[in-house]
């Protein structure tokens, strides 16, 4: 029988027989309503968990298919996805009942049904890879189970709104660290220790390990191998899982190095040392603290020192530091804070410190591995969760089962307390809570008695007299405390409780020794040894060991041991192990209460772990304390589903056309209408409470859910069709709008074409008509008596027509000018005889347009040259040689600016640039070699002229050592004078200069120099523009004396002269006709300047005459 609710007789024997029959037929699962009973088959069953079997349970109700973990997994997944509610699955049972395998089967189903996309498969693979890693580090062989979880595990699977997994998180509880240093006969330590011993030989040699567990003290006791398990293969699978989950090879090496270091640490032994052989500081402190007789210490034996050296290297420490941490203890004097004392440890205490260190190292390593796995599988580390909403969760609780070993310590006490709390949670949710809900809703109900373990929980966790409170009080008690004082305190406060027994309470019970107590748990009596209860509850390491491990160079150990060192140094009370466990357990229960629970009750068929054997008495015992009979009675008499009436109608209103989309009347009337359509009768299939509706049969609920899924598909199809209609209609309207637009454009074009045709026809008709009228009028005028008045009109009309014709020809000419070889400034448009000014105006307009384009294409140097040429054309166009200079640029030889000259000019405030810039006042604009005519004797001296934007320099021409002969600011030059002939003479009138004007022979640079100088003067903007005088008579001031220089064209011979004449009056000086020749004076100067020559002769004081040759040129 699959569902135990249908048992003809509800007895323990009938339940055990049903489970036995199914176990014998290789069907390990049964159910009680929605609770799955899983009997451990203790061997693989073919095809029970393959993909074909998974397909049988997909999207099926739990009552439609045979009982299986897949059925409850599918129910939890569909509830999470369809109802948008968090779910949790509680897997409970004794140790060896198959809880770990049940959780893996549950995970396998979830991974299979949640999608086959690459992203989803990657996430589910990560979740599945966490299992072999946690089993290697947290599972061990016990007498009851070959793969027993020695820690509690709660895994939350996170899903997005589509029901696809996006990550997960694992929370662990109470790792049994004591198994690292000791375990009972017939058991093993954690699997990873044995797997490391089967690593490849190269790695084992690096870690200094052999393949024999007997070579290591921590592994020598108990079993060394597990039947049908190859530790070498398991090691390879562990490495593969770590690699696939993303752990780098360096981190894997560190993890396995720590495991090997723990094994070597266990092989370290100690021998007693006399006080005289102790280190000086330790011996002195020991003597001071113990009076005259110093206490002995300990040291590592010579035989096991290689193990110490190897352990120190693998743990990232040094031999000295590790030995000091194990054989000495740093004690802080609480009377005088800050004063530390080093106390030697005897051999027994040193061995306890060694074991405590090994347990702490492994415990911290386990927590590090769990946190690393969480980082790899959490939704924050994947790209699947980007909606920003809190993901939905399915929690899977796989926690240690009820244990009763030969020797039970604090770990077993905490484990059994956890099972008591979970049993209480199951009772609250399934038995007491359900019956209380029936009573509150006013549903007729016969109360069912059940086993309640509330008294046992009160015994353990009562705030004042509970075992936990007394244990913590004794742990932090000042003074001498021991396990005996703890047991005495328990006897004092707990003996009145019927579930507590001790030798003092039951003096005739020889099975109880004086160091033990017994608690009657819901699953049976368990005897606990009070030995090491206090030490394990403190869960503390000495400060020396913490500091040594915190200083480790290992990338894993150092960070995990750096916490809480400062708190220990400040004498803060740490949280005990039992308090930590209670806090974690309370958080776990609160978390599960916020979710919809599902139950898998695991049952162990026998205590021998032999497949096929079924111990009915053991099964009956488990069924009794699990409360399975009470659960069967409650389900048979109760209702499988209950919901508030408004929520029920909201969920199922789409099933009826009368209630969809909105029911306007009373909620109960709407539900009655809806259920009547499905033939569901009130009183038989459902019943009303005060606020809720209760449905009796799961089949009824399944019918509603099936129909709802069908309606959802119909509604989804309708939504899709409506959306597709909207999309298609929107596209149709857009297409129609484009067609209408095209039609309107076509019609407009047709109308415009017709209008143009009609307008052309009307214009033609008008032309013909007006021509006809004009011809008739002309004919009348010819015949009239006033023919003379018609001539002016005809002439005006004729000239206008010809001008238009000329303009059309000009327009055509413009089109051909691009291929015209003549430059734009040489283009002359043909004349128009009917308007003489029109041709000139059109030519000027064309040249202005082309000149503007030419200027826009010019760069800065070209524009500067053009500006100088413009100035020359304005001021110097009357000088001979100007026409020939127009086509040549004004250039000068930059080689005259030697480094010495540049340094001298720069010292005066100027700068040297490749491109002259007259706008910059300190930039050299021009430099050339000229001849300065001295004002005293009118002889020539060679000078280097340097013109800047602000000053004029006259320097000697020595390239290496030039000197400044004259420095004239440009704002002092008030006039520039030169002759109209082809000479190179130029006079610069300099104001406020005692020596007078500057008289230069610039030769071929005269035009460029004069234009550039005027340009620089104009840019200064310091007054009226400087006049440029081009005249045959020039005034010259020399040493405050006034001269007139007159220029004449003539023939120069070898003895030609420039004669200096004295004028009789100022008026005569202004008239060239009154000048007369004078005889040769006392000054004679002959000048030859390349292309021209002239001579100077001085006799009188007022006038100079310059005779320029006929064929001279600049």
């Amino acid at each position: 029988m699959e569902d135990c609710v249908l048992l003809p007789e509800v007895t323990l024997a009938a339940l055990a027989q049903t489970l036995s029959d199914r176990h014998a037929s290789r069907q390990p699962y049964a159910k009680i309503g929605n609770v799955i009973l899983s009997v451990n088959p203790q061997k693989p069953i073919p095809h029970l968990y393959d993909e074909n079997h998974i397909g049988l349970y997909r999207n099926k109700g739990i009552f439609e298919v045979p009982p299986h973990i897949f059925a409850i997994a599918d129910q939890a997944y569909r509830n999470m996805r369809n109802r948008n509610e968090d779910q949790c699955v509680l897997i409970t049972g004794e140790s060896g009942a198959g809880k770990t395998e049940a959780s893996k089967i549950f995970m396998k189903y979830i991974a299979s049904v949640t999608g086959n996309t690459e992203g989803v498969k990657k996430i589910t693979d990560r979740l599945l890879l966490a299992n072999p890693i946690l089993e290697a580090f947290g599972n061990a062989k016990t007498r009851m189970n070959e793969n027993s979880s020695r820690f509690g595990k709660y895994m939350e699977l996170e899903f997005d709104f589509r029901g696809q997994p996006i990550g997960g998180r694992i929370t662990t509880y109470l790792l049994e660290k004591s198994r690292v240093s000791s375990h009972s006969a017939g058991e093993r330590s954690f699997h990873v220790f044995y797997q490391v011993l089967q690593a490849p030989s190269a790695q084992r040699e690096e870690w200094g390990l052999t393949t024999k567990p007997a070579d290591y003290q921590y592994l020598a006791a108990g079993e060394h191998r597990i039947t049908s398990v190859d530790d070498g293969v398991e090691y390879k699978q562990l490495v593969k899982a770590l690699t696939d989950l993303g752990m780098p090879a360096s981190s894997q090496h560190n993890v396995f190095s720590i495991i090997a270091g723990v094994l070597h640490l266990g092989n370290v032994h100690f021998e007693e040392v006399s006080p005289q052989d102790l280190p000086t500081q330790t011996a002195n402190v020991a003597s001071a603290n113990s009076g005259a007789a110093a206490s002995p210490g300990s040291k590592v034996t010579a035989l096991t020192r290689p193990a110490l050296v190897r352990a120190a290297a693998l743990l990232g420490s040094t031999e000295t530091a590790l030995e000091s941490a194990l054989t000495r203890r740093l004690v802080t004097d609480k009377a005088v804070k800050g004063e530390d004392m080093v106390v030697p440890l005897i051999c027994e205490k040193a061995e306890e410190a060694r074991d405590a260190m090994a347990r702490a190292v492994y415990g911290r390593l386990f927590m590090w591995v769990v946190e690393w796995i969480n980082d790899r599988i959490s939704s924050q580390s994947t790209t699947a969760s980007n909606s920003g909403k809190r993901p939905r969760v399915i929690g899977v609780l796989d926690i240690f089962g009820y244990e009763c070993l030969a020797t039970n310590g604090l770990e077993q006490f905490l484990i059994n307390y956890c099972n008591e709390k979970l049993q209480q949670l199951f009772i609250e949710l399934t038995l007491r809570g359900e019956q209380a809900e029936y009573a509150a809703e006013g549903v007729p109900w016969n109360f069912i008695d059940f086993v309640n373990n509330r008294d046992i929980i009160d015994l353990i966790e009562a705030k004042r007299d509970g075992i936990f409170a007394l244990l913590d009080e004794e742990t932090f008690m000042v003074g001498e405390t021991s396990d005996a004082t703890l047991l005495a305190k328990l006897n004092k406060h707990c003996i009145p409780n019927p579930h507590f027994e001790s030798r003092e309470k039951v003096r005739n019970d020889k099975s109880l020794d004086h160091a033990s107590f017994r608690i009657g748990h819901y699953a049976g009596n368990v005897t606990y040894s009070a030995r090491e209860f206090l030490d394990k509850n403190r869960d503390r390491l000495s400060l020396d060991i913490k500091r040594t491990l915190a200083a480790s160079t290992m990338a894993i150990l150092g960070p995990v041991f750096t916490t809480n060192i400062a708190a220990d140094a400040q004498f803060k009370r740490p949280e005990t192990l039992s308090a930590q466990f209670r806090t974690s357990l309370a958080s776990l229960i609160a978390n599960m209460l916020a979710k919809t629970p599902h139950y898998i009750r695991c049952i162990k068929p026998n205590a021998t772990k032999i497949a096929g054997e079924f111990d009915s008495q053991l099964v009956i015992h488990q069924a009794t304390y699990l409360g399975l009979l009470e659960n069967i009675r409650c389900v048979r008499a109760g209702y499988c589903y209950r919901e508030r009436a408004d929520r029920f109608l909201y969920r199922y209103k789409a099933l009826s056309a009368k209630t969809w989309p909105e029911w306007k009347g009373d909620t109960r009337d709407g539900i009655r209408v809806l259920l009547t359509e499905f033939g569901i009768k009130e009183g038989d299939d459902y019943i009303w409470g005060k606020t809720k509706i209760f449905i009796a049969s799961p089949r009824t609920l399944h019918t509603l859910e099936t129909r709802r899924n069908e309606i959802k598909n119909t509604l989804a199809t309708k939504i899709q069709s409506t959306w597709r209609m909207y999309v298609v209609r929107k596209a149709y309207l857009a297409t129609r709008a484009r067609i209408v637009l095209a039609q309107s454009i076509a019609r407009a074009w047709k109308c415009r074409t017709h209008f143009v045709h009609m307008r052309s026809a009307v214009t033609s008709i008008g032309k013909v008509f007006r021509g006809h009228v004009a011809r008739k009028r002309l004919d009348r005028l010819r015949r009239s008596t006033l023919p003379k008045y018609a001539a002016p009109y005809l002439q005006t009309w004729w000239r206008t027509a010809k001008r238009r014709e000329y303009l059309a020809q000009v327009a055509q000419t413009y089109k051909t000018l691009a291929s015209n070889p003549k430059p734009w400034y040489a283009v002359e448009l043909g004349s128009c005889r009917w308007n003489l000014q029109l041709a000139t105006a059109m030519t000027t307009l064309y040249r202005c347009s082309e000149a503007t384009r030419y200027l826009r294409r010019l760069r800065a140097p070209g524009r500067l040259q053009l500006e100088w040429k413009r100035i020359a054309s304005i001021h110097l166009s009357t000088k001979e040689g100007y026409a020939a200079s127009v086509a040549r640029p004004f250039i000068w030889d930059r080689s005259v600016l030697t480094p010495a000259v540049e340094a001298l000019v720069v010292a005066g405030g100027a700068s040297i640039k490749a491109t002259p810039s007259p706008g910059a006042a300190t930039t050299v604009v021009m430099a050339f070699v000229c001849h300065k005519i001295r004002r005293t004797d009118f002889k020539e001296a060679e000078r280097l002229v340097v013109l800047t934007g602000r000053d004029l320099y006259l320097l000697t021409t020595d390239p290496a050592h030039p000197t400044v002969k004259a420095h004239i600011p440009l704002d002092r030059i008030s006039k520039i004078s030169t002759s109209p002939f082809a000479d190179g003479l130029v006079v610069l009138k300099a104001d406020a200069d005692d020596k007078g004007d500057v008289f230069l022979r610039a030769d071929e640079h005269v035009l460029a120099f004069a234009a550039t100088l005027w340009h620089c003067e104009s840019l200064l903007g310091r007054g009226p523009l400087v006049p440029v005088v081009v005249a045959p008579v020039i005034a010259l001031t020399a040493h405050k004396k006034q001269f007139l220089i007159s220029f004449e064209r003539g023939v120069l011979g070898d003895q030609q002269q420039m004669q200096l004449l004295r004028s009789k009056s100022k008026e005569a000086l202004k008239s060239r006709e009154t000048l007369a020749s004078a005889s040769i004076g006392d000054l004679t100067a002959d000048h030859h300047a390349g292309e021209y020559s002239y001579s100077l002769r001085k006799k009188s004081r007022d006038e100079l005459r310059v005779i320029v040759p006929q064929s001279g040129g600049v």
Side-chain angles (χ1 to χ4, degrees):
M1 188 173 296
E2 297 176 349
D3 195 343
C4 297
V5 175
L6 305 178
L7 286 175
E9 183 181 359
V10 183
T11 61
L12 289 173
L15 176 61
Q17 185 60 45
T18 299
L19 296 178
S20 176
D21 294 343
R22 296 189 62 80
H23 182 264
S25 61
R26 302 172 67 179
Q27 297 177 6
Y29 302 113
K31 64 183 178 182
I32 304 174
N34 292 337
V35 178
I36 295 294
L37 304 181
S38 173
V39 180
N40 188 0
Q42 296 176 333
K43 66 177 180 179
I45 299 178
H47 311 299
L48 190 60
Y49 307 104
D50 57 15
E51 290 297 325
N52 293 332
H53 217 70
I54 290 176
L56 296 176
Y57 289 86
R58 186 171 297 180
N59 295 325
K60 299 291 180 63
I62 194 171
F63 64 91
E64 291 183 285
V65 289
H68 200 290
I69 294 176
F70 290 167
I72 203 165
D74 185 78
Q75 183 184 41
Y77 175 70
R78 285 191 293 110
N79 286 352
M80 180 275 301
R81 183 189 61 190
N82 299 339
R83 297 177 179 270
N84 198 29
E85 296 176 353
D86 291 344
Q87 311 288 311
C88 69
V89 179
L90 279 69
I91 305 175
T92 57
E94 286 190 6
S95 178
K99 298 184 298 299
T100 301
E101 292 300 320
S103 67
K104 293 185 334 189
I105 294 169
F106 183 92
M107 290 284 297
K108 179 179 180 180
Y109 182 86
I110 295 295
S112 178
V113 301
T114 49
N116 295 321
T117 63
E118 182 178 354
V120 171
K121 190 174 185 305
K122 181 179 179 181
I123 295 171
T124 55
D125 288 345
R126 285 185 179 183
L127 296 174
L128 295 177
L129 285 171
N131 280 328
I133 300 174
L134 292 175
E135 287 185 10
F137 285 90
N139 288 21
K141 179 184 184 301
T142 65
R143 290 185 303 166
M144 298 181 180
N145 188 0
E146 293 182 349
N147 189 32
S148 176
S149 297
R150 307 318 300 162
F151 69 103
K153 177 180 67 176
Y154 177 67
M155 174 180 283
E156 287 189 339
L157 311 178
E158 299 175 344
F159 299 84
D160 62 10
F161 68 96
R162 297 168 298 179
Q164 293 184 350
I166 58 175
R169 179 164 185 82
I170 298 172
T171 305
T172 60
Y173 304 92
L174 191 65
L175 176 70
E176 189 184 11
K177 294 182 291 185
S178 61
R179 188 169 289 271
V180 174
S181 57
S182 63
H183 50 269
S184 303
E187 298 185 355
R188 295 205 320 175
S189 186
F190 295 103
H191 295 326
V192 68
F193 288 109
Y194 304 90
Q195 294 170 5
V196 168
L197 297 184
Q198 303 303 320
S201 57
Q203 297 180 5
R204 282 190 285 104
E205 291 178 2
E206 180 183 356
W207 298 327
L209 298 177
T210 66
T211 59
K212 299 178 181 179
D215 294 340
Y216 304 96
Q217 178 176 332
Y218 286 164
L219 306 181
E223 298 288 336
H224 294 168
R225 298 191 181 278
I226 299 176
T227 307
S228 72
V229 175
D230 188 341
D231 290 322
V233 175
E234 295 293 323
Y235 175 79
K236 294 178 181 178
Q237 293 179 353
L238 173 61
V239 172
K240 183 178 184 303
L242 291 172
T243 303
D244 292 345
L245 205 52
M247 180 178 286
S250 58
S251 297
Q252 294 183 32
H253 182 271
N254 290 341
V255 169
F256 294 129
S257 296
I258 294 173
I259 297 296
V262 171
L263 292 178
H264 285 293
L265 184 63
N267 285 349
V268 176
H269 296 284
F270 306 91
E271 60 184 0
E272 186 174 330
V273 180
S274 62
Q276 292 77 15
D277 296 333
L278 289 174
T280 305
Q281 180 183 6
T282 305
N284 293 339
V285 173
S287 300
N289 288 304
S290 58
S295 61
S298 60
K299 69 175 182 178
V300 177
T301 62
L303 184 62
T304 62
R305 185 162 292 275
L308 176 70
V309 174
R310 180 71 70 173
L314 292 173
L315 296 178
S317 183
T318 62
E319 175 188 357
T320 304
L322 186 59
E323 183 177 11
S324 176
L326 296 177
T327 58
R328 300 169 184 83
R329 178 171 296 175
L330 184 66
V331 179
T332 301
D333 189 357
K334 296 183 180 181
V336 183
K337 291 188 177 181
E339 182 179 345
D340 296 335
M341 297 180 293
V342 181
V343 178
L345 300 180
I346 61 176
C347 294
E348 181 181 355
K349 294 296 183 181
E351 289 177 355
E352 291 178 0
R354 174 200 64 194
D355 295 342
M357 175 183 280
R359 291 192 297 266
V361 168
Y362 188 80
R364 301 292 175 90
L365 175 64
F366 179 78
M367 296 306 299
W368 182 89
V369 170
V370 172
E371 288 302 318
W372 177 82
I373 292 175
N374 284 333
D375 290 339
R376 300 301 301 167
I377 67 175
S378 66
S379 58
Q380 286 76 15
S381 66
T382 65
T383 59
S385 177
N386 54 9
S387 62
K389 297 181 180 180
R390 187 184 72 85
R392 284 303 173 191
V393 170
I394 296 180
V396 181
L397 178 63
D398 171 20
I399 205 160
F400 17 59
Y402 169 79
E403 287 189 351
C404 182
L405 307 179
T407 302
N408 301 287
L410 180 62
E411 292 88 352
Q412 282 69 40
F413 179 75
L414 296 177
I415 289 172
N416 292 335
Y417 163 70
C418 176
N419 280 271
E420 292 280 359
K421 293 290 287 185
L422 293 178
Q423 177 67 12
Q424 180 67 19
L425 178 65
F426 178 78
I427 292 172
E428 291 288 342
L429 295 178
T430 60
L431 300 177
R432 176 187 295 173
E434 186 167 354
Q435 296 187 88
E437 184 179 22
Y438 293 150
E441 287 290 326
V443 176
W445 179 259
N446 295 324
F447 189 80
I448 299 173
D449 292 329
F450 53 87
V451 177
N452 193 346
N453 63 341
R454 182 73 257 178
D455 294 341
I456 303 174
I457 293 176
D458 292 340
L459 168 66
I460 298 174
E461 66 177 15
K463 291 185 177 180
R464 295 187 60 184
D465 297 333
I467 295 177
F468 278 141
L470 299 175
L471 176 61
D472 289 346
E473 179 183 339
E474 193 69 13
T475 299
F476 295 110
M477 180 69 70
V478 178
E480 293 293 333
T481 59
S482 64
D483 301 325
T485 59
L486 171 64
L487 189 58
K489 183 168 291 188
L490 293 177
N491 288 331
K492 178 180 179 182
H493 294 85
C494 300
I495 281 181
N497 193 297
H499 300 284
F500 179 85
E501 294 181 352
S502 66
R503 188 64 181 271
E504 183 175 344
K505 181 178 180 180
V506 189
R507 298 182 181 274
N508 296 328
D509 189 353
K510 303 300 181 180
S511 62
L512 271 174
D513 58 32
H514 292 280
S516 301
F517 62 93
R518 181 185 297 144
I519 294 179
H521 288 285
Y522 77 99
N525 295 332
V526 179
T527 301
Y528 298 100
S529 173
R531 297 183 181 90
E532 299 185 353
F533 252 59
L534 294 179
D535 292 337
K536 290 180 180 180
N537 192 46
R538 291 188 183 96
D539 191 32
R540 296 185 64 186
L541 281 177
S542 68
L543 192 59
D544 309 77
I545 295 177
K546 283 187 177 181
R547 289 175 175 173
T548 300
L549 295 175
S552 171
T553 58
M554 187 70 65
I556 297 176
L557 280 185
V560 299
F561 275 96
T562 54
T563 57
N564 296 332
I565 293 182
D568 291 345
Q570 296 174 4
F571 310 106
K572 292 184 178 180
R573 174 180 290 188
E575 198 174 20
T576 62
L577 178 63
S578 61
Q580 296 174 20
F581 185 72
R582 293 199 306 273
T583 302
S584 301
L585 187 59
S587 175
L588 171 66
I589 292 177
N591 191 357
M592 289 189 296
L593 286 174
K595 298 175 174 60
T596 302
H598 305 269
Y599 304 96
I600 300 175
R601 312 286 272 177
C602 296
I603 297 175
K604 181 168 63 175
N606 58 72
T608 58
K609 298 182 289 185
I610 299 176
E613 183 177 334
F614 191 90
D615 187 348
S616 297
Q617 293 301 320
L618 179 61
V619 172
I620 289 174
H621 173 69
Q622 295 175 73
T624 301
Y625 69 72
L626 289 176
L628 298 184
L629 284 186
E630 292 81 359
N631 194 10
I632 293 173
R633 294 190 184 100
C634 187
V635 172
R636 288 177 67 155
Y639 299 89
C640 70
Y641 178 77
R642 75 288 317 275
E643 185 58 272
R644 269 175 36 188
D646 55 344
R647 293 182 179 177
F648 184 89
L649 181 60
Y650 178 79
R651 181 171 181 80
Y652 296 109
K653 64 181 180 179
L655 276 58
S656 173
K658 298 178 181 178
T659 57
W660 176 261
E662 193 70 33
W663 175 256
K664 301 298 183 180
D666 183 67
T667 302
R668 291 196 176 190
D669 293 338
I671 296 175
R672 288 190 182 96
V673 169
L674 188 152
L675 295 180
T676 302
E677 291 187 7
F678 286 89
I680 301 174
K681 299 179 180 180
E682 183 176 353
D684 295 334
D685 297 323
Y686 70 94
I687 193 173
W688 293 104
K690 293 180 180 179
T691 61
K692 295 182 179 181
I693 180 174
F694 294 82
I695 295 179
S697 173
R699 191 174 303 277
T700 302
L701 182 63
H702 178 70
T703 301
L704 296 175
E705 284 292 327
T706 303
R707 181 57 182 161
R708 182 174 181 272
N709 291 334
E710 295 173 357
I711 292 294
K712 283 170 59 179
N713 293 334
T714 303
L715 292 177
T717 303
K718 186 173 182 180
I719 293 172
Q720 290 174 351
S721 63
T722 304
W723 171 253
R724 294 191 186 101
M725 179 191 70
Y726 166 75
V727 172
V728 173
R729 179 171 176 78
K730 186 177 180 181
Y732 161 73
L733 292 176
T735 304
R736 190 179 69 174
R738 289 194 293 269
I739 293 173
V740 171
L741 179 62
Q743 290 174 344
S744 63
I745 293 173
R747 286 192 292 269
W749 175 81
K750 186 176 180 180
C751 291
R752 279 194 299 270
T753 303
H754 180 68
F755 166 74
V756 171
H757 176 70
M758 294 297 293
R759 185 177 62 180
S760 177
V762 170
T763 303
S764 299
I765 295 171
K767 288 180 180 179
V768 172
F769 177 74
R770 285 190 295 272
H772 170 71
V773 172
R775 284 191 295 273
K776 289 186 68 176
R777 183 183 179 190
L778 179 61
D779 187 56
R780 286 197 303 269
L781 288 175
R782 285 176 180 173
R783 300 174 189 175
S784 67
T785 58
L786 300 173
K788 60 181 179 179
Y789 296 110
Y793 293 102
L794 293 176
Q795 291 173 356
T796 302
W797 176 82
W798 178 258
R799 291 190 186 99
T800 302
K802 288 299 181 179
R803 290 168 186 163
R804 289 178 180 173
E805 183 179 350
Y806 174 75
L807 291 176
Q809 292 175 0
V810 170
Q812 188 64 29
T813 304
Y814 280 162
K815 296 180 181 178
T816 61
L817 287 179
S819 59
N820 194 340
K822 291 184 179 181
W824 57 269
Y825 50 82
V827 172
E828 290 285 350
L829 299 178
S831 62
C832 178
R833 57 177 295 195
W834 310 107
N835 192 335
L836 299 179
Q837 294 83 8
L838 183 59
T840 304
M842 295 302 297
T843 302
T844 303
L845 178 63
Y846 171 74
R847 289 179 178 176
C848 288
S849 175
E850 293 299 322
T852 301
R853 294 180 183 178
Y854 176 77
L855 287 175
R856 288 176 180 172
R857 291 195 298 268
L858 280 179
R859 295 186 178 179
R863 291 192 178 189
L864 191 59
Q865 286 286 337
L866 192 60
E867 180 65 18
W868 291 340
K869 292 292 182 179
R870 185 188 68 82
I871 295 172
S873 68
I874 296 173
H875 299 289
L876 303 170
S877 60
T878 59
K879 188 173 179 63
E880 288 185 10
Y882 166 75
S885 69
V886 171
R888 299 195 303 269
F890 292 156
I891 59 176
W892 51 280
D893 188 6
R894 296 186 64 87
S895 63
V896 300
L897 291 177
T898 62
V901 173
E902 292 181 357
L904 197 59
V905 173
V906 170
S911 62
I912 309 299
K913 290 187 177 180
T915 302
S917 178
T922 60
T923 302
V924 174
V925 180
M926 191 176 187
F928 61 92
V929 177
C930 72
H931 294 80
K932 178 178 180 296
I933 300 175
R934 293 185 296 203
R935 289 162 286 202
T936 56
D937 54 6
F938 291 97
K939 290 185 178 181
E940 291 186 350
E942 193 173 44
R943 292 288 184 265
L944 175 62
V945 176
V946 179
L947 175 63
T948 70
R950 186 175 57 194
D951 304 286
L952 177 68
Y953 296 89
L954 297 179
L955 290 78
T956 61
T957 56
D958 185 0
H961 305 285
T963 58
V964 178
K965 304 299 292 183
H967 173 206
I968 306 171
L970 296 185
D971 55 359
R972 294 185 181 179
I973 298 176
S974 59
K975 184 168 66 175
I976 303 171
S977 303
T978 185
S979 74
F981 302 114
D983 60 89
L985 300 176
V986 61
V987 176
L988 307 179
K989 183 172 182 58
D991 298 336
D993 192 340
D994 296 338
K995 294 181 179 181
D997 300 339
V998 179
F999 195 6
L1000 301 175
R1001 178 166 66 82
D1003 297 343
E1004 69 274 12
H1005 299 289
V1006 62
L1007 293 175
F1009 176 63
T1012 306
L1013 180 61
W1014 190 91
H1015 187 213
C1016 293
E1017 281 271 9
S1018 66
L1019 292 178
L1020 289 177
R1022 298 179 180 177
L1025 297 177
V1026 177
V1028 178
V1029 178
V1030 181
V1033 178
I1034 301 174
L1036 172 69
T1037 302
H1039 297 285
K1040 298 184 179 179
K1041 297 178 181 180
Q1042 300 293 329
F1043 293 89
L1044 288 178
I1045 304 175
S1046 62
F1047 292 81
E1048 293 182 359
R1049 188 182 299 282
V1051 179
L1052 291 178
D1054 293 338
Q1055 299 298 324
Q1056 286 294 342
Q1057 59 188 358
M1058 180 182 73
Q1059 300 175 354
L1060 179 62
L1061 303 178
R1062 184 174 181 81
S1063 174
K1064 300 300 182 180
S1065 65
K1066 292 183 179 180
E1067 292 79 6
L1069 289 174
K1070 300 178 182 178
S1071 175
R1072 293 179 59 211
E1073 288 77 7
T1074 60
L1075 295 178
S1077 299
S1079 60
I1080 298 176
D1082 56 349
L1083 176 62
T1084 300
D1086 295 328
H1087 301 279
H1088 303 278
E1091 298 180 357
Y1092 64 93
S1093 302
Y1094 61 90
S1095 297
L1096 293 174
R1097 297 292 186 269
K1098 177 180 179 183
K1099 184 167 183 183
S1100 59
R1101 299 179 179 180
D1102 298 277
E1103 187 168 350
L1104 291 172
R1105 177 169 292 176
V1106 179
I1107 301 177
V1108 183
Q1110 296 286 352
S1111 57
V1114 177

